[in-house]
Amino acid sequence: AHPVVAIAGATGAVGTEFLQVLHDLDFPASEVRALASARSAGKKVPFAGCGQVPAGELTVQEMTPESFAGVDIALFSCGASVSKEMRQAVVDAGAVMIDNSSAFRMDADVPLVVPEVNPGDVAWHEGVIANPNCSTIQMVVALKPLYDLSPITRVVVSTYQAASGGGAPAMAELYDQTRAFLSGTPEDELTVEVFQHRIAFNCIPHIDKFLEDDSTKEEWKMVVETKKIMGDEGIKVAATCVRVPVLRCHAEAVYVEFQDEVSVEAARAAMEAFPGITVMDDVANNTYPMPGLLAGTNDTYVGRLRKDDTVDHGLAFWVVADQIRKGAALNAVQIAQLLLP
Ligand code: 2RA
């Protein structure tokens, strides 16, 4: 069977990457529909082809409830409000919505899936499968082989998140602001529209909105999504999410506490054997993953693996992944692959 695939949000940063990943994985589609707002209708987007769909251009169609007639899989990345608005039309059309927005991630009837971690959860979908938040995805990929060695009781994570998390306008702001800053533009004349403050040569400890307990919604997502994906509400997670002047890859410093002793050697072997992880860890030769050098890659890269002897059974590591690929588009298409007969 060659499914009909719709891309909802086809002109955005993630939507564009959906098309690239469908090609890279040669997803066996019989048709690919590029959907977006009326503003983008009629635009031509390049497509390298996949399955039975030849390389060429796709003409963007305005997304309406009727757009999903005959669709089997609808990949969404156009914000939570549009996902909520279109959900019923997608399900009524008999399609499965794989949603990159935060709209349904914590709904009890919606699986939240990272294919390397909890692929079996797609079995109980009722028309919608949620793609986790990018910063959660790369962390749980790294945690899963460790959890299989010994249950994880606590995780502490600090993130170093790329501009791409804010979409194409955010990447443009990083570029343009950096040029302006370097050309000597006065601080109060720099254009600061997407992020809360200047991101060029700066770090901003604020992603998404602040909550009642003075943590941010991004930090809250990492806490609750990790528990759901790992299937263990007992895991304690403490997160600090920071925006840094990097283009496309998120990086994270992670401290893990286990129920039982886990050696660095056993952890390294488990990670090296785990699909989707590349262990890049040879400090004698200054070898570790760096977010400025891994844009466009598919894997979750782990380095700086070491003992954390400040707790009974602890390890620490550093993890990097491309936020637009594994953090969004690749993970969603990998979920779609799980739906293939
Ligand atoms: C960010 N994780 O990095 C959020 C949404 N992609 O901005």
Side-chain angles (χ1 to χ4, degrees):
H2 295 278
V4 174
V5 178
I7 310 284
T11 55
V14 174
T16 302
E17 204 70 26
F18 278 144
L19 291 169
Q20 185 60 51
V21 170
L22 286 172
H23 169 70
D24 294 346
L25 273 56
D26 193 18
F27 193 80
S30 57
E31 178 190 342
V32 173
R33 279 182 211 168
L35 305 176
S37 65
R39 190 177 63 250
S40 302
K43 271 175 75 173
K44 303 277 189 190
V45 293
F47 180 45
C50 70
Q52 298 176 336
V53 183
E57 281 183 334
L58 299 176
T59 302
V60 177
Q61 302 167 40
E62 179 184 355
M63 180 167 31
T64 67
E66 293 68 41
S67 305
F68 300 99
V71 169
D72 298 296
I73 296 171
L75 301 170
F76 266 73
S77 189
C78 30
S81 56
V82 173
S83 290
K84 287 174 181 169
E85 186 188 327
M86 289 293 165
R87 173 182 183 165
Q88 200 52 53
V90 173
V91 175
D92 289 350
V96 178
M97 174 190 265
I98 299 175
D99 183 27
N100 189 48
S101 87
S102 58
F104 314 118
R105 286 178 183 152
M106 300 316 292
D107 290 11
D109 61 345
V110 174
L112 182 65
V113 176
V114 176
E116 298 93 330
V117 180
N118 62 327
D121 284 354
V122 297
W124 49 267
H125 83 77
E126 296 176 17
V128 178
I129 301 170
N131 209 37
N133 192 42
C134 41
S135 51
T136 307
I137 291 174
Q138 66 187 72
M139 186 172 79
V140 296
V141 171
L143 292 179
K144 175 62 174 159
L146 301 180
Y147 192 98
D148 291 343
L149 295 174
S150 168
I152 291 171
T153 56
R154 181 171 181 257
V155 177
V156 177
V157 53
S158 294
T159 72
Y160 306 70
Q161 297 185 219
S164 58
M171 290 190 275
E173 182 153 303
L174 172 59
Y175 264 119
D176 297 343
Q177 213 180 74
T178 303
R179 281 194 200 94
F181 185 83
L182 288 173
S183 65
T185 303
E187 192 75 41
D188 61 359
E189 291 178 24
L190 290 169
T191 302
V192 180
E193 288 172 348
V194 177
F195 297 114
Q196 300 86 354
H197 303 282
R198 166 165 57 87
I199 184 59
F201 299 94
N202 191 23
C203 296
I204 306 170
H206 177 185
I207 297 176
D208 208 325
K209 61 187 180 185
F210 278 109
L211 305 175
E212 286 296 304
D213 66 357
D214 291 343
S215 73
T216 62
K217 194 166 182 190
E218 187 80 354
E219 289 152 359
W220 174 83
K221 288 174 183 176
M222 293 195 77
V223 174
V224 297
E225 292 179 19
T226 298
K227 294 168 185 270
K228 182 170 177 179
I229 296 161
M230 300 298 286
D232 182 346
E233 289 299 318
I235 300 178
K236 295 177 183 172
V237 181
T240 300
C241 296
V242 180
R243 188 75 67 192
V244 297
V246 167
L247 194 61
R248 275 188 57 138
C249 293
H250 286 349
E252 299 174 354
V254 184
Y255 291 84
V256 183
E257 293 178 48
F258 298 90
Q259 184 180 287
D260 315 303
E261 185 58 15
V262 174
S263 70
V264 172
E265 294 70 24
R268 184 189 308 282
M271 286 178 146
E272 284 172 342
F274 195 76
I277 290 180
T278 294
V279 175
M280 191 184 276
D281 189 18
D282 175 8
V283 294
N285 293 294
N286 295 343
T287 301
Y288 29 71
M290 290 179 278
L293 306 181
L294 288 169
T297 59
N298 289 344
D299 268 12
T300 297
Y301 293 82
V302 175
R304 299 298 324 278
L305 184 59
R306 61 202 189 279
K307 199 93 189 81
D308 170 16
D309 59 12
T310 64
V311 295
D312 288 348
H313 309 305
L315 288 178
F317 63 86
W318 171 255
V319 56
V320 174
D322 181 300
Q323 180 269 331
I324 297 182
R325 286 181 76 91
K326 186 54 186 173
L330 173 64
N331 197 74
V333 176
Q334 287 171 328
I335 291 171
Q337 287 181 317
L338 293 175
L339 300 176
L340 294 173

